[in-house]
Amino acid sequence: MGQPVREYLLTLCVTAAVTYLLTGPVRKFAIAAGAMPEIRARDVHREPTPRLGGIAMFGGLCAGLLVASHLTNLKSVFETNEPRALLSGAALIWILGVLDDKWGVDALVKLGGQMIAAGVMVLQGLTILWIPIPGVGTVSLTPMQGTLLTVALVVITINAVNFVDGLDGLASGMVCIAAAAFFMYAYRMWFGYGIEAAAPATLFSVVLMGMCLGFLPHNMHPARIFMGDSGSMLIGLVMAAGAVSVTGQVDPDLLNVKAGGLREATHAMVPVYIPLLLPLTVLAVPVADLILAIVRRTWKGQSPFAADRGHLHHRLLEIGHSHSRAVLIMYFWSALIAFGAVAYSANNASMWIVLGIVLLSAVGLVLLLLPRFTPRAPQWAERMVPPRYRRLARAVVDPAGVAAEASAAAEAADEEEREPIPAGINGATAIGDRSRFVDRRKAGSHH
């Protein structure tokens, strides 16, 4: 297995490097092209930020697939039509996203474009062929049934990722976590059970991780560039393509033979006996946010595509979590559900896995209940952490640009004269801990 792992690592590094290096020039291009929409009521950032980050991510996707096509153990994947189908669908959804980032596209038009991109992939062979149903066995789907199910899965995944893209680094980080979990699942099916039909999904997951990892340094709070719809819909489609490939084209009966029997095969397919639900499991948090948003907007008599500030990440900000902590909490829950599902699929008879998931869930609930808790690093480690987690006083820069160091006592005295800002669009929770308070004394001196 050493050689395939090295090839996957090389593909991952090339994809991440190309994405990272392209993001800087793409940011300058987005500014020059005017792809910096005005701040909307539901946005949490305070300054116009360029979009079109999906251009760099698409470049990373192409570079990763190009490198993989020349590697010994991965070139066999390109003997099938699935990489070509992925590129075709990705190109369509990427062009649609670029147009939306620059000029704006109606929600129904975007939905139609997503369905067309999914249909193009189906026409080139990336479709669901069969599903295992409990108590019935493997059921072969008609072309129409397979097409409808594939399009539905692709559209749901794209919109789940698009809906969760509301905080700096949130969507790319959560998709990276989901792709890592999905890679473990697909890699185990390919090299653990020798099922070559899982090879394309394994490659797609690695490339997706590279795209997200290369973009994250530019997108972490405070973000210098947003991926926009050109990026969020693109990574959603790549995730869906891998899910369709591994869950809809791997014959469960073949898994029975490779795994050594029905019982072992069932364990391999757990935690979801119907494997089409696996991508929804590793994307459980975005999908839950998508469902809640549709129900909430429909209940209010609004369009399901109407933007609002009721997403899960908005609620985390409203209860007092800082921007960075809200993102980390979403990462935590995504990783817990995704890797917990994969671990349970590998050994669903182990109670230790269940107990570990329960324990980590309790830890996550505690974190949710302590929005105002700010950890402090020990004195010896203060130079290695961001300033907000240091006990020492921070440097203060006056309007003339002269830096002066404030003492800890002076900083404590200033705290009494500062007025907390309520959470909201321009509130403390939208911009982080360092801007949580407004100094009344400085505000008064300007008048």
Side-chain angles (χ1 to χ4, degrees), residues 74 84 129 165 173 188 191 245 248 258 284 289 340 372 413 435:
L74 301 184
R84 187 181 303 109
L129 302 177
D165 183 25
R188 178 169 172 263
F191 288 97
S245 178
K258 298 289 185 179
D289 194 18
R372 296 295 182 183
S435 301

Side-chain angles (χ1 to χ4, degrees), residues 264-350:
E264 290 77 7
T266 303
H267 286 179
M269 300 300 286
V270 174
V272 281
Y273 190 79
I274 301 177
L276 289 176
L277 296 181
L278 184 60
L280 302 184
T281 303
V282 297
L283 281 175
V285 174
V287 170
D289 194 18
L290 170 65
I291 295 174
L292 290 175
I294 293 176
V295 172
R296 178 178 65 252
R297 295 165 184 174
T298 305
W299 183 265
K300 294 180 179 179
Q302 301 175 345
S303 167
F305 303 100
D308 59 17
R309 289 180 55 88
H311 293 288
L312 296 177
H313 51 271
H314 288 134
R315 296 182 183 276
L316 288 175
L317 296 179
E318 290 174 0
I319 64 177
H321 289 287
S322 67
H323 191 295
S324 300
R325 189 179 292 117
V327 172
L328 291 177
I329 288 175
M330 297 286 282
Y331 284 176
F332 172 83
W333 285 108
S334 298
L336 177 63
I337 297 174
F339 289 104
V342 174
Y344 192 62
S345 70
N347 187 4
N348 65 322
S350 176

